Amino acid sequence: MSTVISFFGSKIKLKEPANSADFACVITVYKEKDIAWPLVRALLAQDYPHFHIYLVADGITENMDSMVHDKLTLYQPSPFLNSKVASLGLVLDKMKESHSHVVVFDPDNLVPRHFLRVISKFHASGYMAVQGKRIAKNIAGTYAALDALGEYYYDFAVRNIPFLLGSSSTIAGSGMSIEKNLYSKNIAKELLVLKEQGVVVAEDKSLQSELVDQGHKIAYAAAAIIFDEKITAATQIGRQRGRWLNSYFGQLPGALKLFVNGVLKFDWNRIYFALMTAMPPMVFLVGTSCLLAIAALFVNWSYFFLLGGSLVLFALGFLLLLLLNKTPQKVLNAIPKIPLFVLGQISGMLNIRKANKDFMATTHNEITEIGPLWEARKKEFKHLEKFWQ
């Protein structure tokens, strides 16, 4: 229903910026020495003039000074920080005062040359926070394609549609740009959590709730493409999903508070965003519905058909969103293999409590440059071409 209504929503009108935003592009690396250099080179090739790259190489003893550029600052903290939040805090404390916005990247990300220019249009139009369009970098292989399915679905369902409906996009953890002072205050709070608990699992989830509760609308920039590496092996699913499930349950009280505030203040942004972020992960929704449908066979057949019909409608909606988001055929071909991913997510449930003590960082294997990747994939985004020309 939200998908249908969104097509009748107001169209987003953006101002052409006078290069007013000054971006601090922050990349946090943990133990992987070579993974971030392709992203650094992609950022240095941006067609936007005002930015500086800050690379934090944590947990690495080897000399990382292989690239010298006046737009690049490298930090190799000693002793090791062993925390993404601590790495972000280090950069925010030491960066130039002239920066107006902070753009956060994972080291495996890649962006085409128009990324910062597109983001700047949203900031020039008054948005304090902007999320780019995160898309799978690698789609070859069963598990990469299955992981990509989720990215394409959620990119449309929880970023694009809410923004078209006048609410806020969710933040993906990378490829988002935040006004510097807002972000500094949030990270300062997360540093206190880190000091008390020893680990911060999902700082992006608390950030998005804070922004919306403060009255800000998080914009979604569909034309600001950011490629993100997907997992390539079954063993990676449990660690990654365990961390994500832990962050979901940890943020449920905040979502409830946001919903209550939205109702009291008659604020659509707060209400819709709270409902969307409180929605259980897909594996919980489908799994619970299937169990209830089986139980209904022994209670009342009408309930069975009702639940079965709901599951069919959900599956059709899932396919529709994938098609609307121009999902590549290679990714769609992985749909019959979804049960393999579900099994990995079940193992992720066993890692939920472990994520309270261990960040469970995901390792990366796909090292490629933006040039050949963009040439091979840019036709997928032909419908967005007018926004970056």
Side-chain angles (χ1 to χ4, degrees):
M1 181 62 72
S2 293
T3 306
V4 175
I5 296 173
S6 69
F7 286 102
F8 299 96
S10 59
K11 299 301 178 183
I12 308 301
K13 295 182 180 180
L14 301 175
K15 296 178 182 177
E16 287 295 329
N19 296 332
S20 56
D22 189 318
F23 293 107
C25 300
V26 182
I27 309 169
T28 58
V29 179
Y30 185 61
K31 292 185 177 181
E32 299 177 287
K33 183 169 70 72
D34 299 319
I35 187 68
W37 293 122
L39 174 58
V40 170
R41 287 188 281 271
L43 288 171
L44 290 175
Q46 292 293 293
D47 60 10
Y48 187 85
H50 305 308
F51 70 92
H52 192 88
I53 305 165
Y54 297 91
L55 174 61
V56 184
D58 188 26
I60 300 171
T61 56
E62 297 94 331
N63 191 341
M64 292 274 289
D65 291 330
S66 58
M67 182 184 294
V68 178
H69 197 283
D70 59 359
K71 282 187 173 291
L72 172 65
T73 298
L74 171 69
Y75 298 113
Q76 285 188 260
S78 180
F80 298 151
L81 300 175
N82 299 315
S83 165
K84 179 180 179 180
V85 167
S87 294
L88 292 168
L90 172 69
V91 175
L92 287 166
D93 183 55
K94 294 181 177 293
M95 70 171 52
K96 300 175 183 178
E97 293 185 3
S98 60
H99 296 307
S100 59
H101 298 83
V102 179
V103 194
V104 180
F105 296 96
D106 287 336
D108 59 285
N109 293 155
L110 283 175
V111 290
R113 65 193 308 267
H114 62 261
F115 179 82
L116 290 180
R117 179 161 51 85
V118 174
I119 293 289
S120 71
K121 293 181 182 181
F122 284 83
H123 288 312
S125 300
Y127 294 102
M128 306 291 276
V130 184
Q131 173 64 52
K133 183 181 184 70
R134 245 177 50 148
I135 289 296
K137 180 171 70 174
N138 53 316
I139 56 177
T142 297
Y143 288 101
L146 287 170
D147 197 9
L149 271 176
E151 187 75 85
Y152 278 97
Y153 173 79
Y154 284 111
D155 174 71
F156 204 88
V158 302
R159 296 172 202 152
N160 192 11
I161 290 176
F163 186 53
L164 291 176
L165 289 175
S167 184
S168 288
S169 163
T170 59
I171 286 175
S174 65
M176 77 276 196
S177 179
I178 316 290
E179 194 275 330
K180 185 177 74 171
N181 290 332
L182 282 176
Y183 195 53
S184 295
K185 291 176 182 177
N186 174 264
I187 292 299
K189 293 179 182 178
E190 296 300 330
L191 286 170
L192 292 176
V193 174
L194 178 65
K195 186 176 180 180
E196 294 173 0
Q197 301 181 9
V199 65
V200 175
V201 178
E203 75 288 340
D204 52 308
K205 298 297 185 291
S206 64
L207 171 62
Q208 63 184 13
S209 294
E210 272 192 26
L211 289 170
V212 173
D213 204 26
Q214 291 170 10
H216 301 293
K217 186 181 293 185
I218 304 171
Y220 172 73
I225 311 297
I226 177 167
F227 292 101
D228 180 70
E229 184 178 326
K230 301 294 107 182
I231 62 173
T232 56
T235 53
Q236 295 175 304
I237 303 174
R239 291 176 63 84
Q240 186 188 73
R241 264 43 184 190
R243 188 175 73 244
W244 290 2
L245 290 169
N246 179 276
S247 69
Y248 166 75
F249 288 110
Q251 294 303 315
L252 270 181
L256 177 60
K257 177 185 174 184
L258 187 63
F259 177 78
V260 172
N261 287 345
V263 172
L264 293 176
K265 297 178 181 180
F266 301 100
D267 183 81
W268 168 250
N269 186 23
R270 288 181 173 91
I271 293 172
Y272 189 88
F273 189 81
L275 290 173
M276 182 178 57
T277 54
M279 183 175 63
M282 201 182 307
V283 67
F284 277 93
L285 283 175
V286 176
T288 302
S289 298
C290 288
L291 291 174
L292 289 174
I294 294 171
L297 288 172
F298 303 96
V299 178
N300 189 316
W301 276 80
S302 60
Y303 293 152
F304 170 78
F305 287 114
L306 181 63
L307 287 165
S310 298
L311 284 168
V312 170
L313 288 175
F314 176 82
L316 292 174
F318 179 78
L319 289 172
L320 176 62
L321 285 173
L322 290 175
L323 294 174
L324 290 173
N325 208 15
K326 313 291 183 183
T327 305
Q329 189 61 46
K330 278 186 179 181
V331 177
L332 293 175
N333 290 342
I335 290 176
K337 300 176 183 178
I338 286 178
L340 291 175
F341 212 78
V342 172
L343 291 175
Q345 289 185 311
I346 292 173
S347 72
M349 295 177 195
L350 304 177
N351 283 318
I352 291 177
R353 294 186 65 182
K354 183 179 177 182
N356 286 322
K357 299 178 181 179
D358 179 3
F359 181 71
M360 299 195 296
T362 304
T363 55
H364 307 97
N365 305 298
E366 300 286 330
I367 299 179
T368 186
E369 299 290 334
I370 186 61
L373 177 65
W374 185 243
E375 283 302 311
R377 301 282 300 278
K378 65 181 180 182
K379 60 182 180 294
E380 296 173 23
F381 314 106
K382 200 168 183 62
H383 59 294
L384 300 170
E385 192 174 357
K386 61 183 178 180
F387 295 106
W388 63 65
Q389 286 182 337

